[in-house]
Amino acid sequence: MEWDLAQLRALAAVADHGTLEAASRELHLTPSAVSQRLKALERSVGAVLLRRTRPVTPTDAGRPVLLLARQLAALTTDAEAVLESAATTRPVVRLAVNADSLATWVLPALASVAGEVRITFVREDQDHTADLLRDGSVMAAITSQRTPVQGCTVESLGAMRYRPIASREFAARWFADGVGPAALAAAPVVVFDDHDRLQTERLEEAGVAWGTAPWHMVPASTQFSEAVRYGYGWGMLPDLEGRVWDGVDLAAVPGSCLANHDVALYWQQWSLQTASLDAVAAAVRAGAAASLRHP
């Protein structure tokens, strides 16, 4: 079929911004014009592409069309960026990244390309970032999933080591007699969100069922670390972050039931190649080589 670039841009804008009104501001069109383009595209495809919820969500038929729209947008933006008449154009790369990587090594790694590429970070747990590749929400992802998403390439970046850390006052109060199952069942623990399995899996490995110990939920990397520092509970902190302040590595306590844990990270990106995506990938590889653990 013949694809209309303006209609595809309307689809991507509505999906990205959640409403016709927000998409119209992005495209400098009226909401009615955006709606007409979207309806024309749906007539051409012969299927409803977006659920008219707030925010809108793609249908099963809409996901592959949305992926196409975003890939074409990436190609056209890169082409425009090299034209003399569009010298001020900056291509956009949408990148899914887990919160801990974003808070530690990814931002400094990508500083070298920030002047040439506009980067939109989409924060998501490393176990779920690949889902965003499947529906076309992002062009690349730092993920724990080594099996490539259809239409993507994958390569190893290394591993982030996490250590079970507690403040000295917290450790003295709750683990004075050692870091055993009984103490872990009573001591509060800090978790990031409902997707965070780092702490729950360490407890289960120690023979403590999740829900036995009280927990605090702090869904932001910096504040998560601060909660551990202030003694809300113990938590698994990235090795890069755990050295920032003088805490206690509970895995190093003699006889401890807790252990360090390495999370392997992978770079997945669209098989489609653009200059901007290649530049971001190269910067991520260099940052990972300098910051992550390697066998």
Side-chain angles (χ1 to χ4, degrees):
M1 62 179 294
E2 296 291 332
W3 295 101
D4 185 294
L5 187 57
Q7 293 172 1
L8 290 170
R9 282 175 171 164
L11 174 69
V14 174
D16 288 342
H17 296 282
T19 66
L20 286 172
E21 291 76 13
S24 68
R25 291 192 291 270
E26 171 71 17
L27 296 173
H28 305 289
L29 297 170
T30 64
S32 176
V34 175
S35 178
Q36 289 173 10
R37 291 184 182 185
L38 184 57
K39 289 177 181 177
L41 178 60
E42 290 180 326
R43 284 195 300 269
S44 297
V45 174
V48 174
L49 302 178
L50 294 176
R51 299 182 186 91
R52 270 56 167 186
T53 54
R54 295 187 71 88
V56 299
T57 56
T59 63
D60 290 343
R63 290 190 183 93
V65 181
L66 184 56
L67 176 59
L68 171 66
R70 285 171 171 150
Q71 290 181 333
L72 286 175
L75 286 171
T76 55
T77 303
D78 265 56
E80 291 166 358
V82 300
L83 296 176
E84 184 177 357
S85 60
T88 59
T89 301
R90 292 290 184 271
V92 178
V93 171
R94 291 177 60 86
L95 171 62
V97 58
N98 61 304
D100 287 334
S101 291
L102 185 60
T104 52
W105 65 274
V106 168
L107 278 181
L110 290 176
S112 62
V113 299
E116 291 72 40
V117 179
R118 288 187 293 152
I119 302 171
T120 297
F121 292 104
V122 180
R123 194 188 70 185
E124 183 56 273
D125 183 83
Q126 65 268 5
D127 293 334
H128 297 84
T129 47
D131 294 338
L132 300 174
L133 285 167
R134 293 188 181 94
D135 65 17
S137 297
V138 298
M139 303 165 66
I142 295 171
T143 175
S144 61
Q145 299 181 30
R146 63 183 301 173
T147 302
V149 172
Q150 184 177 5
C152 294
T153 60
V154 63
E155 61 183 287
S156 174
L157 291 175
M160 287 189 72
R161 170 154 291 184
Y162 287 80
R163 299 179 184 275
I165 302 294
S167 70
R168 294 194 175 278
E169 294 79 5
F170 184 91
R173 175 182 178 183
W174 295 99
F175 300 118
D177 297 323
V179 187
L184 289 170
V189 59
V190 183
V191 297
F192 188 85
D193 59 20
D194 290 332
H195 292 156
D196 182 13
R197 295 284 298 165
L198 280 171
Q199 286 73 215
T200 61
E201 289 175 352
R202 305 294 79 73
L203 284 171
E204 290 168 357
E205 290 169 357
V208 179
W210 175 244
T212 305
W215 74 90
H216 303 282
M217 186 175 292
V218 186
S221 288
T222 300
Q223 286 72 28
F224 182 97
S225 176
E226 288 291 288
V228 172
R229 183 167 72 88
Y230 287 130
Y232 280 66
W234 67 273
M236 301 295 294
L237 295 183
D239 197 30
L240 295 170
E241 187 179 350
R243 298 195 185 106
V244 173
W245 50 272
D246 188 23
V248 175
D249 182 352
L250 299 177
V253 175
S256 175
C257 288
L258 293 177
N260 300 326
H261 182 70
D262 290 345
V263 174
L265 296 178
Y266 299 88
W267 174 255
Q268 292 212 35
Q269 70 171 67
W270 291 348
S271 298
L272 175 78
Q273 285 195 315
T274 69
S276 57
L277 185 53
D278 289 347
V280 169
V284 167
R285 290 188 199 101
S291 303
L292 302 183
R293 297 176 61 85
H294 303 275

